[in-house]
Structures are given as C-alpha cells and as structure tokens.
C-alpha cells in the first residue's frame, strides 16, 4: 500500500512538472508570435511616415503653376483672369516664404505686424499664422551654417589627431576602444595638449583667433554715482547699472586675469565655510545646536532725507 501511494505521488509530481513545462513553452511561443505580429505593424507605420514625408517634399517642390492647376482640378469654365490672379497669389506667397525663412526675428515680426490688420479684417490671420509656423518647422530641419562649421572643425581635429606625427597606435590586440558600435585601435598622444593645440593652429591657421588688438564690446555691472532729483533737490546716489564697454581683446583678458584672484579667494572661502559647517554638524552632541548667522556688510549711514 505504501509503495502504491509513493508511485502515485511520483506520478502526480511528474505530471505537474510536465504541465508547468508545457505552460512555460506555450508562454514563450505566445511571446514570439506577438513579436512577429508587431513587426508588420511597425513596418507599416514606418512606410506610412516615409510616404507622408515624400509627399510633403513633392508638394514643397511643386511650381506655383502646378499648384494652381491642382487647385482648379475638377472645375470648369474658369476665366483667365481668375487663373492669373491665383498664379499671382502663389508667386507672391512663394516669394514671401523664401524671404521669411531667410529673415531674422525682428524682420519676421515686422512682416507680421504689417499684414495683421488686413488679414484680421478678412479673417485670414489664422491661415497666415499656420503657414508661417510650418515655414519655421521646415527651417529647423536644415543644416545651419554653424553646424556645418562645427562638422568641418570636428573632421579637421580628427584628421590631425589621427596623424602619426601627432599620435601613435598601440601594439596590443586588446588595446581597443568601441564607440557607437565602431571598434578602433587606441592611440597615444605624442605631446601635451597645449603644444598640440599650437601645432593644430599652425596647420590650420584659419581657426586662429583674431588679433588681440581688435575692439570688442561687452556688458558689465558697475556701481556709479548718479545724480537724482528728490523733492526738487539734486542729490548724488550710488546705483548699480549695466554699461556697455568697448575695449581690445588684450585689455579684456588683462581685466579678467586681474579679477581672478579675488574671485578664487571668494570661492575658496565659501568652500572652506561649507566644509567646517558640515564637520560641526557631523560631530554635534545631543544637547548642542548650530547657529549660522550671516552679518550684513557694506552699509553706510545716511541722512533720512537721502533715503528714497
């Protein structure tokens, strides 16, 4: 009897295992089938997007005359005057579009303000706004001049660094590095970055900075004594204002280097204070407290009549 019960238990356990394995196998098959079903959907969405883009490009490349023909498709007995006016409007619109894309923000604002009154009167402001917003979107996809310059600079730097005069290849098979799924042999620089930068500027002189004597403009905050009129009386008051300064690059560099020690001392004081405060906080006892008091500085005494 005991042997029969044991065999029955073993059969039940083996049956459960087989059922469990069968379920797991079916789950895997279901997942694989679901993945296969999703692939055509993704491909269809991709093809739809591609078709939409191609149709959009074709519509943007159409001539004004073709656009007019499409507008009048299916209509009969259209006079030549109407066709001429439609063609004129399409030509004018294409010219406005090309000018708008090349214009800066101020010029775009001027164009909108110049046409806002008449467009609002005949309820065409929304149509014009939708057109200009689409022109902006199309413009953002293009390669700007700055991007082209950056790509050119990146290519030149890469060519310079990969030159055997600048760096050397490592000998080991495992001395490689992978970036963006591209495996390359590691290179070691033959000199410091400072000297290599000088060599790069000598090899590519058009990347050099301009003459240090050239004039530049920049803005800075300064505290000045300004004459103000208070209750009919002229007073001299100190105010912090922003002023535009014109100087050479060399003078700006000297002013920057002169202000660096004071700034670095201030940064060092801040870091030191934070370190000390953190140490005190970490070592505080149960009956102790930390008071952080910030005293105001640079206050002057004034007469009551000077305060405004």
């Amino acid at each position: 009897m005991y042997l029969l019960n044991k065999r029955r238990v073993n059969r039940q356990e083996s049956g459960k295992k087989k059922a469990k394995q069968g379920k797991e196998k079916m789950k895997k098959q279901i997942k694989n089938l679901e993945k296969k079903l999703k692939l055509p959907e993704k491909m269809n969405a991709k093809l739809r997007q591609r078709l939409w883009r191609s149709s959009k490009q074709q519509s943007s490349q159409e001539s004004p005359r073709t656009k007019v023909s499409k507008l009048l498709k299916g209509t009969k007995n259209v006079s030549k005057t109407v066709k001429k006016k439609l063609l004129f409007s399409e030509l004018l619109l294409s010219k406005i579009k090309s000018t708008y894309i090349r214009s800066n923000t101020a010029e775009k604002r001027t164009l909108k303000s110049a046409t806002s009154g008449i467009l609002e009167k005949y309820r065409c402001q929304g149509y014009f706004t939708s057109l200009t917003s689409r022109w902006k979107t199309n413009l953002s996809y293009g390669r700007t001049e700055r991007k082209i310059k950056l790509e050119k600079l990146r290519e030149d730097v890469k060519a310079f660094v990969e030159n055997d005069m600048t760096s050397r290849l490592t000998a080991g098979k495992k001395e490689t590095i992978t970036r963006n799924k591209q495996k390359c042999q590691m290179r070691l620089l033959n000199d410091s970055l400072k000297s290599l930068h000088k060599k790069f500027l000598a090899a590519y002189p058009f990347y050099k900075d301009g003459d240090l004597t050239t004039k530049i403009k920049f803005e800075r905050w300064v505290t000045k004594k300004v004459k103000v009129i208070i209750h009919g009386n002229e007073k001299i008051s100190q105010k912090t204002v922003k002023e535009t300064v014109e100087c050479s690059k060399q003078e700006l560099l000297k002013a920057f280097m002169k202000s660096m020690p004071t700034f670095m001392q201030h940064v060092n004081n801040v870091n030191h204070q934070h370190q000390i405060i953190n140490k005190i906080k970490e070592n505080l006892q149960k009956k102790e407290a930390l008071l952080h008091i910030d005293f105001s500085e640079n206050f002057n005494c004034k007469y009551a009549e000077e305060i405004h």
Side-chain angles (χ1 to χ4, degrees), residues 183-209:
K183 191 176 182 181
C184 300
Q185 193 76 14
M186 292 176 66
R187 301 185 72 97
L188 301 176
L189 296 176
N190 296 332
D191 207 343
S192 64
L193 286 174
K194 190 174 182 180
S195 57
L196 287 176
H197 180 252
K198 290 180 180 178
K199 291 178 182 178
F200 176 79
L201 293 178
Y204 301 91
F206 45 86
Y207 287 122
K208 283 185 179 179
D209 196 4

Side-chain angles (χ1 to χ4, degrees), residues 87-131:
L87 181 61
F88 176 74
S89 66
E90 286 293 336
L91 289 168
L92 191 63
L93 191 63
S94 63
K95 183 63 180 176
I96 291 171
K97 178 181 177 180
S98 60
T99 308
Y100 187 88
I101 288 173
R102 290 195 300 269
S103 302
N104 55 29
T105 308
E107 291 171 347
K108 289 175 183 177
R109 199 180 293 117
T110 305
L111 177 63
K112 285 184 177 180
S113 62
T115 56
S116 61
I118 191 72
L119 291 174
E120 286 175 1
K121 182 180 178 181
Y122 292 97
R123 298 181 181 180
C124 294
Q125 184 67 42
Y127 178 68
F128 182 73
T129 306
S130 65
L131 282 177

Side-chain angles (χ1 to χ4, degrees), residues 182-299:
Q182 289 186 355
K183 191 176 182 181
C184 300
Q185 193 76 14
M186 292 176 66
R187 301 185 72 97
L188 301 176
L189 296 176
N190 296 332
D191 207 343
S192 64
L193 286 174
K194 190 174 182 180
S195 57
L196 287 176
H197 180 252
K198 290 180 180 178
K199 291 178 182 178
F200 176 79
L201 293 178
Y204 301 91
F206 45 86
Y207 287 122
K208 283 185 179 179
D209 196 4
D211 188 7
L212 290 176
T213 58
T214 54
K215 297 288 184 179
I216 57 170
K217 289 183 179 180
F218 66 96
E219 292 180 337
R220 66 178 179 184
W221 291 98
V222 291
T223 304
K224 285 186 172 182
K225 290 184 178 180
V226 184
K227 291 182 180 180
V228 293
I229 297 172
I230 303 170
H231 303 298
N233 299 323
E234 189 178 288
K235 303 287 183 181
I236 296 174
S237 176
Q238 284 191 346
K239 287 189 176 181
T240 303
V241 294
K242 188 190 286 186
E243 68 172 6
T244 304
V245 183
E246 184 177 359
C247 65
S248 64
K249 292 181 180 179
Q250 192 170 8
E251 290 172 348
L252 177 61
L253 183 61
K254 285 181 180 178
F256 175 76
M257 295 303 294
K258 187 179 179 181
S259 62
M260 277 302 291
T262 309
F263 175 72
M264 293 307 297
Q265 185 179 359
H266 172 71
V267 173
N268 185 43
N269 290 339
V270 172
N271 292 334
H272 178 69
Q273 287 174 5
H274 282 299
Q275 288 175 5
I276 297 299
I277 289 170
N278 289 332
K279 282 183 180 179
I280 294 171
K281 285 179 180 178
E282 290 172 359
N283 299 319
L284 275 177
Q285 302 299 323
K286 289 184 178 180
K287 295 183 179 181
E288 292 179 348
L290 173 66
L291 292 177
H292 188 182
I293 302 171
D294 187 13
F295 292 97
S296 299
E297 295 180 2
N298 301 328
F299 270 78

